[in-house]
Amino acid sequence: MSMIKNPQEIGLMREAGRVVANTLAAVRAAAAVGVSLKELDELAAESISEAGATPAFLNYRPRWASVPFPGVICTSVNDAVVHGIPNGYRLEDGDLLSVDCGAFVEGWCGDAAVSFVVGTADPADLELIAATDAALARGIEMARIGNKMGDLAYAIGGVARRAGYGLLAHHGGHGIGRTMHAEPPVPNDGRPGRGIKLTEGLVIAIEPMLILGGKDDYYHDEDEWTLRSANGRRAAHSEHTVAITAEGPVILTLP
């Protein structure tokens, strides 16, 4: 499958991205103390369905997974970095929640994530989220024709490392299109001038995952999906689907 998308295909991915953005906004608005992760998942399912789209995460089962993912969104709380299953847990004051969402429109996928604090925020959590968003912004800025993937990775990793945060080991962004996860891999740390050259029509999901305490290690929960920081510290996750065009990077996962 070609990694390069034509303008019509990118347009369809923009429609999928709009569904994802609107769903994330609805979930964020509904996330409050006492609301369960399952209730947020049900809201996301309704939002995607009403838009005429199909959830990308529900029943997704990559080769490494022994069980399919059971939710429409990933809801990762506090030390859960990514892939948190939306269960009956009810949000508490001060929880740091990362929400990841994907959707298909006419067979084309959009994928994005956002992190925020529910209720009273610890300043350290706000700084972590701001750094994660800044790392994403730097990665997007480098998503330009002629740059190398290593340039993008170096930009993301530089923001995280200079601020003293860890980056989730062995995980990063990815190509996206007819499938949610495709070539090429998009690392969150690397050396400039290395990797494939970024070309017009390439569409990638850029997703830094930062961890307090400066450590990159993680472990799997018993549910086989949730990845938690090995040091037990909080984490944040930000993601956009981005098209590389002659005019520069275009974020497809906006309202």
Side-chain angles (χ1 to χ4, degrees), residues 3-255:
M3 293 190 294
I4 304 304
K5 315 298 187 296
N6 64 42
Q8 181 181 7
E9 292 166 341
I10 291 174
L12 289 171
M13 294 185 73
R14 175 71 181 99
E15 293 306 310
R18 184 174 286 111
V19 172
V20 169
N22 290 336
T23 299
L24 285 173
V27 169
R28 182 169 188 164
V33 175
V35 175
S36 75
L37 302 180
K38 183 63 175 175
E39 289 167 343
L40 295 179
D41 193 62
E42 292 168 351
L43 172 63
E46 182 179 358
S47 174
I48 292 172
S49 177
E50 288 180 351
T54 304
F57 295 176
L58 185 62
N59 295 320
Y60 176 64
R61 186 179 177 183
R63 287 173 297 181
W64 53 263
S66 63
V67 293
F69 190 78
V72 170
I73 53 176
C74 297
T75 50
S76 305
V77 182
N78 297 333
D79 66 321
V81 189
V82 287
H83 304 164
I85 292 175
N87 53 27
Y89 176 81
R90 294 193 175 276
L91 293 167
E92 298 181 358
D93 188 46
D95 277 345
L96 196 169
L97 175 62
S98 298
V99 183
D100 195 354
C101 179
F104 284 97
V105 170
E106 295 188 33
W108 293 94
C109 192
D111 185 10
V114 63
S115 295
F116 54 91
V117 176
V118 177
T120 308
D122 186 319
D125 290 342
L126 297 180
E127 292 172 4
L128 170 66
I129 293 168
T132 308
D133 291 342
L136 174 60
R138 285 291 293 131
I140 293 171
E141 174 62 25
M142 296 302 292
R144 297 181 180 275
I145 295 170
N147 283 346
K148 296 288 188 70
M149 190 65 79
D151 300 327
L152 189 156
Y154 181 74
I156 293 171
V159 173
R161 301 302 188 192
R162 284 192 298 271
Y165 297 115
L167 284 162
L168 183 66
H170 314 305
H171 288 76
H174 49 88
I176 185 170
R178 284 287 191 183
T179 59
M180 180 169 55
H181 293 128
E183 293 295 325
V186 182
N188 287 327
D189 207 2
R191 297 175 64 182
R194 300 294 183 90
I196 68 167
K197 183 175 288 187
L198 305 182
T199 57
E200 184 174 2
L202 182 65
V203 182
I204 53 178
I206 304 173
E207 52 177 322
M209 294 156 274
L210 274 60
I211 304 170
L212 284 168
K215 301 296 184 182
D216 302 349
D217 300 334
Y218 66 92
Y219 67 92
H220 279 88
D221 248 0
E222 292 182 0
D223 63 24
E224 300 183 35
W225 276 98
T226 306
L227 302 185
R228 295 190 181 275
S229 62
N231 63 5
R233 302 292 298 277
R234 294 186 172 198
H237 177 203
S238 295
E239 178 182 14
H240 272 307
T241 298
V242 179
I244 297 171
T245 77
E247 290 73 39
V250 175
I251 301 173
L252 303 182
T253 40
L254 292 174

